[in-house]
Amino acid sequence: MFRAALRRLPGKVRSAHAFPGNHHGHGSTGLIIRGLRGCKTLSKSEPAPVTPPTPAPKPERHLQREAIRSARPFSEFLTDTFNRQHDYLRISVTERCNLRCVYCMPEEGVPLSPSRDVLTTPEIVLLSSVFVSQGVTKIRLTGGEPTVRRDIVPLMHQIGSLRRQGLRELCLTTNGLSLHRKLDSMVEAGLTGINMSLDTLDPWQFQIMTRRKGFDAVNRSMDKIFELNRHGAGIKFKINCVVMRGVNDREIMSFVEMTREKDVEVRFIEYMPFDGNKWNKGKMFSYQEMLDLIKDRYPTLEKVPGHRNDTSKTWHIPGFAGKLGFITSMTHNFCGTCNRLRITSDGNLKVCLFGNAEVSLRDILRKSNRGEPIDEEAFEAIKRLGLLTADDALGHLANQDELLHIIGMAVKRKKEKHAGIGELEHMKNRPMILIGG
């Protein structure tokens, strides 16, 4: 399905994937024709007037001028007091998951929110639209496990349409269990990146760490991603591996070896404390320990320059197809360049993964529907009542100013950095499953 659609697209569109840049025609042919019409015809006896040649404007300079003219200041609502600009939004679309990973969910499970408390599809799309209008260029859908949401593909299509308003990346964090069944449709919806949570390459260890079977299904999803990329899908593929001492640290080198032939970035994550995951410092395998272990086998391991907002420190072994990353939240925080905001599945805004301060955007959003969930029917009714104005493809909420005010206040309260290891261990916070990663 995806490959057929890809072949029908023009070459430039295929290479730009689902989020092409804006290319503006300048009508140069028309200018040339109009110029020729206005030229005086010279007789043979008349000497041609000598005029100095006019140098053609440099294309790059012209583009720079266009960029300056169209530039606008980044939204004050998404800029905190440390001048960090938040252009990356992570939205949890469900609390449900088909695995029970030991570091993510307590063994006894978690109480799920009542269905009416969870954001509806129109609410997720409306909030996405508001954030994109303020400068968000990347949205990642998380969970729980986002693929278990029944309408995940239609939802992605609607969010993907925001590329007309400036969205550049639509990404997914998944455990990969059922991804292979929906991946073609997701790519057609505009999916540009996948982070797959996978902590072991051993089928038996997989059952221990996830408390479920499913390793073969995850492998099918990985194979599907590599297949689509061979056909030009251009999916940025990363594997997230939470390393726990005495549990899966012996598999670090197996994951490293995966990058020899596969174009994938394997990211090793320091084990982090969340409610119910029985974290202790002894279980944490640090960034430096991992780096030393890999360098012992591959001394030519080299650092890769990254983007200032990267969460991971990226390395590469010369000759290998893939890369290695390290997410070092516990030993080397990256708070100073954080550009991420999170919305939980029940509609709360979290400005920091490790912060326990939250503010409800859902309740403000639902004021236009007398406090009730905005489902598809209510969404259409709101439009008919004039509470939603069609300023763009998705509309503009009548109470958007109030929503932006609340978002701005929350962002302004974001701290310079999260607490240290000693404090985080005892700080009350949601389990990871209810945050959305």
Side-chain angles (χ1 to χ4, degrees):
M1 188 193 329
F2 165 73
R3 289 193 293 266
L6 198 64
R7 283 196 294 271
R8 291 197 295 272
L9 294 173
K12 286 184 180 179
V13 174
R14 282 200 303 269
S15 65
H17 191 48
F19 294 93
N22 294 321
H23 303 283
H24 303 286
H26 299 295
S28 55
T29 306
L31 288 173
I32 292 168
I33 292 170
R34 287 197 296 275
L36 288 172
R37 285 173 182 160
C39 287
K40 178 183 175 182
T41 305
L42 299 173
S43 68
K44 291 182 181 179
S45 59
E46 285 184 284
V50 178
T51 56
T54 305
K58 292 182 179 179
E60 61 270 17
R61 188 166 294 177
H62 172 73
L63 292 173
Q64 286 173 357
R65 286 199 298 268
E66 285 293 314
I68 291 169
R69 276 199 293 269
S70 61
R72 58 180 180 177
F74 191 81
S75 170
E76 181 64 23
F77 296 107
L78 301 186
T79 305
D80 67 17
T81 56
F82 303 98
N83 206 35
R84 291 173 295 199
Q85 297 177 341
H86 298 79
D87 58 2
Y88 177 10
L89 180 66
R90 302 171 66 101
I91 306 174
S92 174
V93 298
T94 181
E95 296 173 345
R96 299 181 181 277
C97 187
N98 43 12
L99 295 179
R100 296 290 182 271
C101 298
V102 294
Y103 56 82
C104 182
M105 187 187 292
E107 190 171 359
E108 66 275 12
V110 294
L112 299 176
S113 300
S115 58
R116 64 165 281 112
D117 290 351
V118 175
L119 290 173
T120 66
T121 291
E123 289 168 348
I124 293 173
V125 175
L126 282 170
L127 285 173
S128 299
S129 180
V130 168
F131 277 91
V132 169
S133 76
Q134 298 302 305
V136 163
T137 58
K138 178 178 180 178
I139 290 178
R140 178 176 298 280
L141 303 182
T142 68
E145 169 52 38
T147 61
V148 304
R149 185 174 173 120
R150 291 180 183 177
D151 65 346
I152 185 63
V153 172
L155 172 60
M156 291 179 70
H157 272 282
Q158 292 184 67
I159 295 176
S161 71
L162 290 172
R163 61 185 179 271
R164 294 192 294 269
Q165 279 73 50
L167 184 69
R168 295 175 193 160
E169 297 180 71
L170 176 57
C171 305
L172 188 77
T173 294
T174 175
N175 59 33
L177 206 60
S178 58
L179 179 66
H180 58 94
R181 295 198 294 267
K182 302 179 180 182
L183 189 52
D184 283 296
S185 300
M186 287 179 169
V187 172
E188 289 177 0
L191 180 68
T192 61
I194 295 172
N195 286 6
M196 184 179 290
S197 301
L198 180 63
D199 307 303
T200 176
L201 298 174
D202 179 273
W204 297 109
Q205 184 67 15
F206 182 88
Q207 275 188 248
I208 293 169
M209 295 193 71
T210 67
R211 306 185 182 109
R212 296 289 186 275
K213 296 181 180 179
F215 184 76
D216 290 342
V218 174
N219 269 326
R220 281 197 295 275
S221 292
M222 285 196 288
D223 290 343
K224 183 78 172 176
I225 294 168
F226 290 126
E227 179 193 353
L228 288 178
N229 277 345
R230 282 195 297 272
H231 289 88
I235 303 166
K236 293 179 185 176
F237 182 33
K238 300 176 183 178
I239 292 174
N240 289 341
C241 174
V242 176
V243 181
M244 301 172 66
R245 190 184 307 278
V247 179
N248 64 337
D249 54 309
R250 66 183 180 278
E251 293 192 63
I252 290 174
M253 298 313 300
S254 299
F255 277 103
V256 170
E257 199 57 36
M258 179 189 281
T259 69
R260 182 186 293 274
E261 305 292 340
K262 303 287 188 183
D263 185 11
V264 60
E265 181 177 337
V266 175
R267 304 196 303 177
F268 299 110
I269 302 175
E270 291 179 337
Y271 183 37
M272 297 177 278
F274 292 96
D275 275 13
N277 73 354
K278 299 179 181 176
W279 184 92
N280 69 66
K281 192 174 180 180
K283 289 183 182 177
M284 191 189 73
F285 205 88
S286 73
Y287 164 51
Q288 193 58 53
E289 289 177 284
M290 291 186 259
L291 203 57
D292 290 344
L293 181 67
I294 298 167
K295 280 184 173 180
D296 190 51
R297 172 98 52 100
Y298 299 103
T300 58
L301 181 72
E302 58 189 21
K303 188 84 164 61
V304 177
H307 186 273
R308 69 183 301 270
N309 298 124
D310 285 346
T311 57
S312 69
K313 297 166 177 61
T314 309
W315 294 73
H316 175 249
I317 300 171
F320 279 35
K323 298 185 185 73
L324 303 173
F326 300 87
I327 298 180
T328 61
S329 303
M330 303 306 295
T331 60
H332 298 78
N333 75 62
F334 35 84
C335 303
T337 57
C338 181
N339 65 334
R340 292 166 296 285
L341 298 172
R342 290 172 170 80
I343 297 178
T344 62
S345 61
D346 56 350
N348 284 359
L349 177 67
K350 280 181 74 78
V351 296
C352 176
L353 174 62
F354 294 106
N356 49 21
E358 301 180 3
V359 60
S360 176
L361 304 183
R362 177 201 65 204
D363 294 348
I364 300 165
L365 202 60
R366 290 181 180 180
K367 284 184 179 180
S368 56
N369 194 38
R370 294 174 296 183
E372 294 299 312
I374 303 174
D375 56 17
E376 298 290 349
E377 185 179 349
F379 182 64
E380 293 301 320
I382 289 169
K383 285 196 288 188
R384 288 195 299 271
L385 290 170
L387 297 174
L388 189 71
T389 58
D391 289 347
D392 54 47
L394 288 168
H396 176 99
L397 276 173
N399 65 340
Q400 182 164 309
D401 289 345
E402 181 185 2
L403 194 63
L404 288 173
H405 176 66
I406 295 298
I407 292 169
M409 286 200 305
V411 171
K412 290 290 186 290
R413 287 196 295 265
K414 184 168 181 174
K415 296 178 180 179
E416 185 177 11
K417 60 182 181 180
H418 64 67
I421 292 179
E423 293 174 82
L424 285 176
E425 185 177 359
H426 304 290
M427 184 182 290
K428 186 70 177 171
N429 197 2
R430 293 181 183 225
M432 177 63 85
I433 187 88
L434 298 182
I435 295 175

